Amino acid sequence: MAPSTDLDIVNVTKRFGSHAAVDDVTFSVAPGEFFSILGPSGCGKTTLMRMIAGFEHPSSGDIRIRGKSMIGVPANRRPVNMVFQSLALFPMMSVGENVAYGLTCRGVNRADAEERANRVLERVGLKGFGERRVTALSGGQRQRVAIARCLVLEPTLVLLDEPLGALDLKLREHMKIELKQLQGTFNTTFAYITHDQSEALVMSDRIAVMNQGRFEQVGSPRELYHNPTTPFVASFVGETNRWQGETVGETAGTTSVRLPSGAVLQGRGTASQPTALAFVRPEAIALAQGEVGLGGLPNRFEGRVSAVLFDGANSSLLITTPGFEEPIRAVLPQAGPLAGIEVGAPVHLGWAADAMKVFAA
Amino acid sequence: MKSAQRLTLYLLLAPAILWLGLLIVLPHVEILILSFSERVAPRVYAYGAGNYLEFFTEPLYWRTFARTAIMSIFVTAITLVLAFPIALYIARVAQGRTKAMLLLLCLLPFWVSELVRTLGWMMLLRETGVVSYLLRAMGLADQPVELLYNDGAVILGLVYGGLLFMIVPLANALESLEPSVVEAGFDLGGSRWTVLRRIVIPHAMPGIVAGSIIVFMLTVGNFATPVLLGGKNGLWFTEQIYAQFITRFNWPQGAAFGMLLLLLSSIIVWAGLRLTRQSLGTTLRQA
């Protein structure tokens, strides 16, 4: 019977001196899944990935690939291949030799290796590039060579260590889609690490949010975005407004939070402690010219536009609102009476209790 | 304005041109001319290739020549094999202070002159020397052992003298190898040997060639080490040149030998570059 997971990380801890870079992490990746580990730099995600690849060894815990423990198995014997942040193409070899390298290491003869390399190059859209020097390729082409070099070996798992970091914005957007498609056509399990939440949200089937060596939450991009379970996830994934206040009451699933200014907000969540953190997404904030437009929303305020941050579809407004220390961020309406709103204009804003997540601070 | 700039350029280049012209090109032209003059009678000279013919007809000369060439290649190869792991360690394992210390340790012997260094080896290796004494003290030999005046001693001295000039360009070349490229080599299934052969050595090739050229040139042209450590058995070609110029006072013959040695090292360096498919430009940059 084939194991139902490609990768199992069981209670893995990695200590450097007294500091735990990876602290008791457990997760599984299913075959064919695109799994991302998202976290700020220094959160331990690179260490975790290097342990899976075999360049670092866990202080405790187990790493299993298709059910087989990888403890004590050197990097060159693991059915795992890595796309490095710097890509790490071999500059002394041609594109074809780079791709065929892994095959020749396995003892595949030169002619076969070359043929298989050419076939993979064709699938990643680099047909006829075999003889080129890797230094003569563009950023996106180098990226594809790095991936082809792994995929030709048909590994159980491909590890990707922020491979899009070095690309310019336009190409990065393009490669996000391309990577996802490549993963689909080769039907290989991908484990991707990044600090860029947009990369993780766009490509992943599931994302683990990592902070200070621990997993904060594992879930689909939508789950993480709409139902964060920790304040860190709520603030790290996506744009959000964040306020700190005091829990003043909890009735019928609605938690009331009083801000230092005295304003009281209604939200959802359990706040077991007196201090609470409240989060509201900019797109959850309703705007209207008059108070009537906000209907029966429990949280209603009046403010003045202090800045219009125009960025196409991602445009937002900063609204200075009495009672809040920092301007509230809301999405700039692209149609309707508020579409042409200018700095200084008065505006009414409000949000539903469901849109506000409350956590114990 | 333009002519002023040109004048500045010439003035700036003048020291280099004078240096090259007066100290390198001119003496070599002189030696080349000298090498083609034959003594037909006392104080009477005529042009001819007799000095070169003498080289090919007298077995001692061309045998010494061939011996010098082969042993120099051998010394270069040994130096490379010894220097590679040291350079690898300095470039990739040692960090910060240790790295500086190790390079300093390699450099230290060169603070004293070559002659003194070679005499140091003689003290170690001679019949009444340190090694001989230790061998006897440990009971491994029952009478004094003469370790000097053989090919082994000559090779030892030459390798010792060349090591630094191999380590520095090698360490330079290895230092520029990205750690993730080596990791990728392992990650894709390469064994240590495969990674060394297909990634580390090709990357270090300019350094290998640069170091080998320097060591080969220093070895071929060395005089003190083969004479002192090899004694009468040294039979190094520079000794023949010395003998012609100083002992036999046959300057034209010595000049011909000098030109032959120059030709030899040029040909071997050229062949080495061709064999490793390196260009002189990249190699010089590495050195």
Side-chain angles (χ1 to χ4, degrees):
Chain A
M1 197 192 93
S4 56
T5 54
D6 269 356
L7 174 70
D8 290 284
I9 301 291
V10 186
N11 301 112
V12 165
T13 297
K14 174 68 183 180
R15 269 177 233 290
F16 293 110
S18 62
H19 169 71
V22 175
D23 190 0
D24 196 24
V25 165
T26 300
F27 67 96
S28 295
V29 180
E33 194 174 20
F34 197 123
F35 186 88
S36 291
I37 299 169
L38 171 66
S41 38
C43 72
K45 56 191 194 301
T46 300
T47 308
L48 181 57
M49 183 135 295
R50 290 175 61 81
M51 284 193 284
I52 302 171
F55 297 125
E56 304 273 359
H57 303 287
S59 310
S60 65
D62 196 7
I63 294 169
R64 291 188 209 123
I65 293 171
R66 291 242 167 106
K68 265 202 213 83
S69 175
M70 287 293 129
I71 303 298
V73 178
N76 52 6
R77 298 271 170 76
R78 296 190 183 193
V80 170
N81 294 116
M82 184 152 168
V83 177
F84 289 80
Q85 189 166 17
S86 62
L87 302 184
L89 298 180
F90 305 131
M92 60 292 282
M93 302 180 200
S94 69
V95 170
E97 285 170 329
N98 259 279
V99 178
Y101 171 87
L103 293 171
T104 50
C105 285
R106 283 185 185 175
V108 176
N109 71 49
R110 205 163 270 274
D112 273 358
E114 198 176 320
E115 200 211 307
R116 282 167 68 180
N118 283 334
R119 238 181 300 154
V120 172
L121 279 173
E122 200 178 325
R123 287 178 72 182
V124 299
L126 289 175
K127 192 178 182 193
F129 277 68
E131 299 299 317
R132 299 246 193 130
R133 308 295 317 166
V134 290
T135 44
L137 300 181
S138 71
Q141 289 166 339
R142 292 161 62 84
Q143 191 86 54
R144 279 183 260 171
V145 174
I147 294 163
R149 191 172 73 168
C150 292
L151 290 176
V152 74
L153 297 172
E154 292 164 4
T156 308
L157 182 67
V158 177
L159 304 173
L160 300 103
D161 180 7
E162 305 200 35
L164 305 186
L167 302 180
D168 61 61
L169 186 71
K170 199 90 187 163
L171 191 55
R172 194 154 62 211
E173 293 302 317
H174 176 75
M175 284 308 293
K176 273 185 210 169
I177 301 162
E178 194 168 299
L179 259 180
K180 182 77 184 151
Q181 283 169 345
L182 270 177
Q183 192 246 348
T185 50
F186 281 86
N187 196 26
T188 308
T189 313
F190 273 30
Y192 189 95
I193 71 171
T194 182
H195 64 268
D196 181 326
Q197 42 123 346
S198 140
E199 282 176 21
L201 291 173
V202 169
M203 293 188 284
S204 317
D205 297 316
R206 277 196 309 150
I207 301 171
V209 179
M210 196 171 181
N211 185 32
Q212 295 183 336
R214 290 172 163 278
F215 275 10
E216 294 265 337
Q217 186 178 357
V218 182
S220 70
R222 284 181 188 204
E223 267 168 49
L224 291 182
Y225 191 83
H226 293 300
N227 296 308
T229 55
T230 70
F232 178 82
V233 176
S235 56
F236 192 74
V237 179
E239 284 286 343
T240 188
N241 291 294
R242 175 182 181 275
W243 303 294
Q244 188 160 4
E246 208 179 323
T247 319
V248 287
E250 198 175 336
T251 44
T254 305
T255 307
S256 301
V257 176
R258 187 169 60 213
L259 300 184
S261 66
V264 176
L265 309 176
Q266 310 285 321
R268 298 264 187 260
T270 46
S272 49
Q273 278 165 325
T275 49
L277 285 172
F279 295 92
V280 176
R281 298 277 181 210
E283 68 270 22
I285 292 178
L287 301 176
Q289 280 171 318
E291 206 176 343
V292 274
L294 297 173
L297 292 175
N299 304 297
R300 290 195 302 275
F301 299 93
E302 197 180 342
R304 201 168 277 278
V305 176
S306 63
V308 178
L309 310 174
F310 188 80
D311 183 19
N314 300 322
S315 304
S316 52
L317 290 175
L318 294 181
I319 303 163
T320 312
T321 312
F324 296 86
E325 279 171 19
E326 282 174 28
I328 296 174
R329 198 182 182 104
V331 170
L332 172 70
Q334 303 279 343
L338 286 171
I341 197 162
E342 297 282 356
V343 173
V347 69
H348 289 263
L349 62 157
W351 57 91
D354 282 335
M356 190 171 90
K357 307 283 173 230
V358 180
F359 299 97
Chain B
M1 189 63 210
K2 192 122 200 204
S3 66
Q5 271 182 356
R6 188 163 292 180
L7 185 67
T8 318
L9 182 70
Y10 284 143
L11 281 175
L12 286 170
L13 279 176
I17 291 171
L18 283 175
W19 173 275
L20 271 172
L22 293 179
L23 294 171
I24 296 167
V25 178
L26 205 64
H28 275 84
V29 171
E30 185 72 32
I31 285 178
L32 183 68
I33 294 168
L34 195 61
S35 72
F36 280 103
S37 60
E38 289 173 56
R39 186 158 53 179
V40 284
R43 299 189 184 199
V44 183
Y45 291 91
Y47 283 102
N51 296 317
Y52 291 93
L53 285 175
E54 174 73 9
F55 168 80
F56 290 105
T57 46
E58 172 59 54
L60 175 71
Y61 295 153
W62 63 259
R63 278 190 190 155
T64 309
F65 188 78
R67 176 185 144 86
T68 305
I70 291 164
M71 274 187 49
S72 294
I73 292 171
F74 190 54
V75 165
T76 308
I78 294 177
T79 312
L80 176 61
V81 170
L82 284 179
F84 200 86
I86 301 172
L88 201 61
Y89 188 86
I90 290 175
R92 310 214 57 88
V93 184
Q95 298 289 331
R97 279 174 70 95
T98 329
K99 183 177 279 188
M101 273 299 293
L102 285 171
L103 272 174
L104 191 69
L105 275 178
C106 293
L107 189 69
L108 216 54
F110 290 82
W111 286 6
V112 296
S113 88
E114 190 197 1
L115 199 63
V116 177
R117 259 182 292 137
T118 313
L119 288 169
W121 275 112
M122 290 181 78
M123 285 180 192
L124 289 176
L125 300 177
R126 67 185 170 171
E127 217 172 341
T128 53
V130 178
V131 177
S132 170
Y133 172 79
L134 285 177
L135 284 175
R136 264 182 303 156
M138 286 188 296
L140 292 170
D142 43 16
Q143 54 193 14
V145 191
E146 178 61 275
L147 294 163
L148 275 179
Y149 312 125
N150 56 48
D151 288 358
V154 174
I155 289 172
L156 182 73
L158 290 170
V159 167
Y160 176 70
L163 217 45
L164 175 77
F165 301 96
M166 189 66 95
I167 289 173
V168 172
L170 270 183
N172 267 339
L174 289 168
E175 202 143 60
S176 63
L177 180 60
E178 232 191 291
S180 63
V181 171
V182 176
E183 282 182 348
F186 285 116
D187 184 67
L188 294 165
S191 59
R192 276 167 181 278
W193 169 240
T194 313
V195 171
L196 184 72
R197 189 173 55 86
R198 293 196 58 189
I199 294 161
V200 179
I201 291 179
H203 179 88
M205 213 53 195
I208 292 174
V209 175
S212 299
I213 289 177
I214 297 169
V215 170
F216 178 78
M217 297 241 196
L218 285 174
T219 307
V220 151
N222 199 317
F223 180 70
T225 306
V227 167
L228 292 175
L229 298 180
K232 265 189 238 154
N233 301 322
L235 287 175
W236 214 251
F237 199 63
T238 45
E239 285 173 49
Q240 298 292 343
I241 300 174
Y242 177 87
Q244 293 301 336
F245 271 102
I246 308 294
T247 321
R248 310 265 297 268
F249 219 67
N250 188 352
W251 281 41
Q253 188 64 64
F257 285 179
M259 292 319 290
L260 283 165
L261 194 63
L262 178 67
L263 197 68
L264 171 80
S265 38
S266 306
I267 288 172
I268 292 184
V269 166
W270 174 82
L273 285 170
R274 284 303 298 271
L275 222 63
T276 51
R277 293 197 211 96
Q278 297 289 314
S279 77
L280 195 59
T282 50
T283 305
L284 289 178
R285 262 204 300 282
Q286 198 67 56

